Amino acid sequence: MFFLRAHRAHPAFREGVRDQATAAVGIAAWGLMTGVSMVQSGLSPLEALLMTLIVYAGSAQLAATPMIVAGAPLWVILAAAFCVNLRFVVFSAHLRPYLMHLPRWQRLVSGYVTADLSYVFFARRYPKPGADAQELAAQQAYLMGNCGVNYVAWMGASLAGIALAHVVPVSWGLGFAGILALLGVLCSLATSKLRVVSLAISGTAAVAAYALPLKLNILVAIASAVALCLVLDRLRPPPGEHHG
C-alpha cells in the first residue's frame, strides 16, 4: 500500500509517482466535476462524501447518482454500477499473478486503490510478473506509487467539488477538459499496431452503442476490442515465421 514505509522507500515507488503525475491534472479535473455533479444532481454533501470515499469509481458514481435521486430500486442501481465497472474484472484477472504473494488484506486494498490509469501505467511498465521476490517488491512499490498519486488527485479534487458544488458551475466544462487530458495519455500508450486497432475498435463501439442504458456501451466497447484483438493475435504468425 502507498502508506507502507517499505513501499515508499523503494526507488520504484518514485517511478510510479512520476509516471502517474503526468495524468494527475486530468484526473483532478474529472474528480472535481464528479463531486460537483453529485451534489447538483440532488445528493446531500454527506451522501456525496460517503459515495466518494466508499465507491471511488467516477463512472459508477455518475451512473448511480441519478438513479439514487430518482428512487430507483437498489438492484437496478447495483446492476448499473456492476456493468459500468466490469472492466475491473479484466484488470483483476491480469493483476492476479502480480499480487497473489501478498496477504489477503493487501490484495483487497490494492484492488480498491487501483484505478484505470494506474492499471494502464503498470501494465505498460511491467508486461510480466516478477520472477523473484525482489522483482515482485519493485512491481508492488511502483503500483502503489502510481495509485497514491491517482488516489490523492481524485479524492482531493472530488472533495473540493463537493464543498464548492454551488460555486463551480458544470458549464465550465472541466469534466471534458479532464477527458481530453486523459485522452492524450491514452493515445501515448498506442505503441503497437494491435493496440492501435484495439483503441479504434473500442472507441467506435462505445460511440455506436452510446444509446444503450446503464452505460452498457462501455461493456460493449471492452468486449469488442478484447474479442477482436484475441482473434487477430491468434491469426498473427509466430515470430520468425516467414511466408514466401
Side-chain angles (χ1 to χ4, degrees), residues 100-156:
M100 278 306 295
H101 66 287
L102 299 174
R104 179 174 297 176
W105 73 269
Q106 288 194 26
R107 298 200 303 271
L108 290 173
V109 175
S110 295
Y112 169 72
V113 298
T114 300
D116 295 85
L117 280 180
S118 303
Y119 168 78
V120 169
F121 280 118
F122 180 82
R124 181 179 66 175
R125 178 70 173 78
Y126 296 106
K128 294 182 179 180
D132 53 40
Q134 186 176 0
E135 290 183 1
L136 288 171
Q139 292 176 351
Q140 183 66 6
Y142 178 90
L143 179 62
M144 289 303 102
N146 214 300
C147 290
V149 174
N150 192 93
Y151 188 87
V152 171
W154 176 267
M155 285 295 181

Side-chain angles (χ1 to χ4, degrees), residues 3-14:
F3 50 81
L4 294 181
R5 180 177 299 178
H7 292 151
R8 297 198 308 272
H10 200 289
F13 183 90
R14 292 186 289 276

Side-chain angles (χ1 to χ4, degrees), residues 143-206:
L143 179 62
M144 289 303 102
N146 214 300
C147 290
V149 174
N150 192 93
Y151 188 87
V152 171
W154 176 267
M155 285 295 181
S158 294
L159 296 180
I162 293 170
L164 302 174
H166 301 296
V167 178
V168 179
V170 176
S171 60
W172 280 8
L174 291 178
F176 185 65
I179 292 173
L180 289 179
L182 298 178
L183 184 61
V185 175
L186 177 65
C187 290
S188 71
L189 299 174
T191 56
S192 69
K193 292 181 179 179
L194 193 60
R195 290 180 180 180
V196 172
V197 171
S198 175
L199 179 63
I201 292 298
S202 60
T204 302

